[in-house]
Amino acid sequence: MLDSTNILGSEEWCRLDDMSIPAIKARVDSGAKTSSIQASKVKIFTKGLEDWVRFEVNPIQDNRSISILCQAKLYDVRSVKSSLGISEERPVIKTPVTIGGNTFEIELTLANRDTMEYRMLLGREAISARYLVDPSKSFCQGDISSDEITKKYRPYMNEKSGLTLGLLASNPELYSNKRIIEAGEMRGHKVVFLNVENAYMKLDASSPEIRYRGGNILDKFDAVIPRIKPAVTFYGCALLRQFDTLGVYCLNSADSISKSRDKLFASQLFSKHDIHIPITGFAKSPMDTKDLIRMVNGSPLIIKLLESTQGKGVVLAETNKAAESVINAFKSVQTNILVQEFIKEANGQDIRCFVVNGKVVASMQRQAQKGEFRANIHQGGAASKIKITPEERKLAVKSAKVLNLDVAGVDIIRSNRGPLLLEVNSSPGLEGIENTTGMDIANVMIETIERKLKYHN
């Protein structure tokens, strides 16, 4: 008869003494050949004449704040194919594991298991000739209560009281940047201002890095909040991709920001996903100018630079002749523009919806100054609190989702044919909307990061 000490359930508690991990729940999977453990910020380094690997483990699935820094001798680097068929190189270590009363050495692949229910997987190489698996049972080698887990990890809980957040921007004196730093610190986190132009990168398959002026390596961040001005979009997005490579969560990804900044590409995505926008035209040749104007229902019409922001680079042409002159002038200097119908019935008003994590958290109506068609507050527009319609709310949420933005300022205009999307801003300002609505939006942004990282204070 089989001894119960030789049977594993579908999940078991493991102890990894060499890594100072007192308890980690593992999924027992005889279908997988190798064992793996969740690891972030993985870095291979040289110790003496040997290769070692340093990494962080978050052993408890729903508590990102517990992080254990580990290091071990590098045993191997293997190419592993994901469920999507994508191959990547992963370090492998050897370490003793204790299950119940048994301790033995296993190979562990260091993998990003952040989205997985279990932080560790026990494959058949580890359990073969040692155990039989009964998938109908759990914790055959002993369960651990949540109170016991809390007790085991109490020393690590005191070690780190908050997250370390980077605010990637250009001007620390801006209202929005000051508020985000203030909100993060109020919630017990360390917030570091990072000037986009003072950071630089090391591109290397085994040890990628981001450094800051003076040579400091930026490797302690849990998340980065991008507030990238249009002039540094290209470089700022390159830095965000590097942070992502290092396993740092970015509140708005490089891909999302790039899409939102390219007004033509964004407009094409909106059309593709049945999001209604004012009729928009784009052409390369000045030969097509007259038809381009007719296509958007003639004058008056709006002419926008593809990379305009805060109402800058946006022109109202009141007659067809004026429109032709402006369009051809822009084209003569090789500048890309969009031509867009003018929504007369909006009367110089638009709505800014602030979307965070798939929800509209605040909305305001902006009214242009007399004689001005742009309602942007930066152009002198006046703001007031507004209750948006369910249709407008749905439009704002969908527009942010299409660009995959966790934080977005969505501008909507009311027309005779319903709400129309004007544009989506990936670094929306906080001053106007916080002062108008009284909402603490900076705090909502920090809470979103906590939820994404499963952080509990």
Side-chain angles (χ1 to χ4, degrees), residues 235-254:
Y235 191 66
C237 287
L239 284 170
L240 288 176
R241 286 192 292 271
Q242 190 80 348
F243 274 116
D244 181 63
T245 297
L246 296 171
V248 179
Y249 168 69
C250 300
L251 186 69
N252 280 353
S253 69

Side-chain angles (χ1 to χ4, degrees), residues 385-445:
K385 194 172 178 179
I386 188 174
K387 185 174 173 61
I388 59 172
T389 66
E391 193 181 1
E392 288 162 350
R393 186 177 299 275
K394 186 178 176 184
L395 175 61
V397 169
K398 187 177 179 181
S399 303
K401 189 177 180 182
V402 162
L403 296 176
N404 201 26
L405 288 167
D406 287 329
V407 174
V410 180
D411 295 341
I412 293 171
I413 197 166
R414 287 173 170 170
S415 78
N416 291 335
R417 58 183 189 271
L420 302 174
L421 176 68
L422 283 181
E423 65 177 298
V424 180
N425 190 324
S426 56
S427 293
L430 303 186
E431 187 169 11
I433 199 151
E434 283 197 341
N435 291 340
T436 302
T437 65
M439 279 287 299
D440 188 349
I441 293 174
N443 186 66
V444 175
M445 290 168 68

Side-chain angles (χ1 to χ4, degrees), residues 87-368:
S87 293
E88 60 176 314
E89 301 287 308
R90 289 184 187 162
V92 180
I93 62 169
K94 276 191 171 183
T95 190
V97 62
T98 300
I99 305 175
N102 298 326
T103 301
F104 50 93
E105 192 175 62
I106 63 169
E107 291 179 15
L108 268 184
T109 303
L110 305 183
N112 183 355
R113 297 183 57 81
D114 258 2
T115 57
M116 304 295 186
E117 186 182 351
Y118 296 91
R119 315 308 266 169
M120 184 172 168
L121 183 144
L122 270 177
R124 63 176 177 271
E125 279 186 345
I127 57 180
S128 179
R130 292 189 177 100
Y131 298 100
L132 288 179
V133 179
D134 184 346
S136 68
K137 294 180 180 178
S138 292
F139 308 118
C140 295
Q141 300 300 315
D143 200 358
I144 302 175
S145 70
S146 56
D147 286 346
E148 287 177 284
I149 286 291
T150 302
K151 191 174 176 182
K152 287 176 185 291
Y153 281 103
R154 189 160 284 131
Y156 302 98
M157 292 174 187
N158 296 332
E159 202 173 279
K160 191 176 181 184
S161 60
L163 300 169
T164 300
L165 310 176
L167 178 60
L168 190 66
S170 296
N171 183 359
E173 298 307 311
L174 283 182
Y175 174 93
S176 300
N177 296 337
K178 283 181 171 179
R179 282 288 297 116
I180 290 167
I181 292 170
E182 181 184 89
E185 290 175 346
M186 284 286 287
R187 296 186 67 84
H189 308 305
K190 181 182 178 184
V191 188
V192 181
F193 184 86
L194 300 171
N195 190 310
V196 174
E197 294 176 52
N198 290 349
Y200 52 101
M201 296 166 274
K202 174 190 173 189
L203 307 178
D204 178 70
S206 59
S207 59
E209 288 176 351
I210 297 179
R211 298 194 179 207
Y212 205 63
R213 184 160 289 171
N216 295 317
I217 298 174
L218 304 180
D219 61 352
K220 301 294 182 190
F221 290 96
D222 297 294
V224 165
I225 304 162
R227 302 284 306 174
I228 299 166
K229 64 182 182 181
V232 292
T233 299
F234 177 81
Y235 191 66
C237 287
L239 284 170
L240 288 176
R241 286 192 292 271
Q242 190 80 348
F243 274 116
D244 181 63
T245 297
L246 296 171
V248 179
Y249 168 69
C250 300
L251 186 69
N252 280 353
S253 69
D255 183 53
S256 299
I257 293 170
S258 297
K259 285 176 184 172
S260 73
R261 292 279 163 87
D262 184 338
K263 285 188 168 52
L264 176 61
F265 185 28
S267 298
Q268 289 174 315
L269 284 173
F270 298 143
S271 297
K272 181 180 177 182
H273 289 88
D274 197 31
I275 292 172
H276 294 280
I277 62 174
I279 299 167
T280 302
F282 179 77
K284 182 71 177 164
S285 168
M287 302 293 289
D288 303 310
T289 300
K290 280 187 168 63
D291 194 40
L292 196 64
I293 292 168
R294 280 194 295 270
M295 197 167 68
V296 299
N297 295 331
S299 62
L301 55 80
I302 303 291
I303 298 157
K304 285 183 181 179
L305 291 177
L306 276 190
E307 294 181 353
S308 61
T309 183
Q310 296 177 350
K312 297 169 187 170
V314 181
V315 177
L316 171 65
E318 299 201 24
T319 66
N320 282 6
K321 193 174 177 73
E324 278 186 59
S325 299
V326 174
I327 292 167
N328 291 337
F330 276 132
K331 288 194 176 300
S332 70
V333 290
Q334 303 296 305
T335 302
N336 284 318
I337 56 165
L338 290 178
V339 178
Q340 202 167 67
E341 73 169 317
F342 179 62
I343 308 299
K344 304 177 188 69
E345 61 269 23
N347 295 317
Q349 291 179 341
D350 72 11
I351 297 166
R352 162 59 62 91
C353 298
F354 210 104
V355 180
V356 182
N357 198 26
K359 291 181 182 174
V360 177
V361 296
S363 302
M364 65 177 175
Q365 181 171 276
R366 302 180 298 191
Q367 174 69 57

